[in-house]
Amino acid sequence: KPKGTGAYHRSEVNLLNWYCNEFSMSTDDRVLLLSAIGFDLTQKNLFAPLVAGGTLVIPDFQEYDPARIVDLVEREKITWINCAPSAFYPLVDNELDWPRLASLRHVFLGGEPINLARLASWLQQSSCQLVNSYGPTECADIAAFHRISLDADLNAAVLPIGRPNYNVQLFVLGEHQELLPIGAVGELYIGGDGVGPGYLNNSELTAQVFMPNPHAEKQPLMYKTGDRVRYRKNGVVEYLGRRDHPGRGPARQARA
């Protein structure tokens, strides 16, 4: 059910600053817009190439057609794609298409868990960087990211959601909102510049998940995600499931 999630312009600017600078988007990049215009992840892909001086490529077809997308990537020399894993798999399932995807420099996947085994063969012969992205709409789309390494991640039991992007804090808290040590399982709370104002005309629901942040003086609010996580010793965050549905995976990789 749509909740009427609000967002600040400053949060979008912060997100674009991270997206463009962390991954060195340049005037040579060509970003393919694959998602619907109203989807949260679309916004950064719409504006990032424009503020970075790159090229925004909008398909002239509306239906999802992997063959036409591969043709478009090859013809337009696309370097940058952001979509759900299930939307990307068909682009690389046919080994004969791999040379046609050689221009890809970055692929960001979000919205659901990544089946890395399905992408491994393509990645092994590609110079493309695959990025796992995580973040609820309530916190400006992306709050954490992980650059995927086949050597480190292919046989891992859980693919991490990684580290926070610029000016974002990830807190693993216990039942009383106390900070938990590395390795302990708790609930993920998000603080920082990405946290939005809450839900439109729904103060009761807003108060349930947007709450005072006792762990950062300059950031008054934090968002309660409902996601079970833990910090690894190397400082990355590992996603373990939902508090409300422990046996289910995330609904979106922006929760995965």
Side-chain angles (χ1 to χ4, degrees), residues 38 55 67 81 93 113 118 120 136 145 170 181 191-192 194 197 199 204 224 230:
T55 300
I81 287 178
D93 278 345
R118 190 168 174 182
F145 68 101
L170 305 179
Y199 304 113
E204 182 178 353
K224 175 182 171 71
R230 64 185 170 200

Side-chain angles (χ1 to χ4, degrees), residues 28-31 77-81 103-107:
D28 295 327
D29 278 306
R30 302 176 65 82
V31 180
K77 295 181 172 54
I78 299 299
T79 65
W80 202 290
I81 287 178
S103 61
L104 289 177
R105 191 168 76 87
H106 281 107
V107 170

Side-chain angles (χ1 to χ4, degrees), residues 70 73-74 94-104 122 125:
V70 170
V73 170
E74 181 182 37
N94 185 350
E95 186 175 343
L96 296 177
D97 286 332
W98 293 354
R100 305 176 65 198
L101 302 172
S103 61
L104 289 177
W122 168 70
Q125 60 80 53

Side-chain angles (χ1 to χ4, degrees), residues 9-43:
H9 286 167
R10 65 173 181 265
S11 298
E12 182 68 17
V13 171
N14 183 67
L15 180 70
L16 290 173
N17 187 40
W18 162 78
Y19 199 46
C20 294
N21 289 303
E22 181 70 25
F23 301 98
S24 302
M25 184 178 285
S26 74
T27 55
D28 295 327
D29 278 306
R30 302 176 65 82
V31 180
L32 179 59
L33 199 68
L34 283 180
S35 51
I37 196 69
F39 194 34
D40 61 350
L41 71 79
T42 302
Q43 310 314 309

Side-chain angles (χ1 to χ4, degrees), residues 30-90:
R30 302 176 65 82
V31 180
L32 179 59
L33 199 68
L34 283 180
S35 51
I37 196 69
F39 194 34
D40 61 350
L41 71 79
T42 302
Q43 310 314 309
K44 66 181 182 300
N45 297 297
L46 178 64
F47 293 113
L50 303 182
V51 301
T55 300
L56 175 66
V57 179
I58 302 176
D60 59 0
F61 52 91
Q62 296 183 358
E63 71 280 4
Y64 176 75
D65 187 334
R68 295 184 72 178
I69 294 173
V70 170
D71 288 343
L72 191 58
V73 170
E74 181 182 37
R75 183 174 70 249
E76 295 290 339
K77 295 181 172 54
I78 299 299
T79 65
W80 202 290
I81 287 178
N82 178 201
C83 63
S86 57
F88 188 74
Y89 299 141

Side-chain angles (χ1 to χ4, degrees), residues 189-209:
Y189 289 70
I190 299 173
D193 286 355
V195 178
Y199 304 113
L200 183 65
N201 299 326
N202 196 334
S203 57
E204 182 178 353
L205 183 59
T206 297
Q208 291 176 16
V209 291

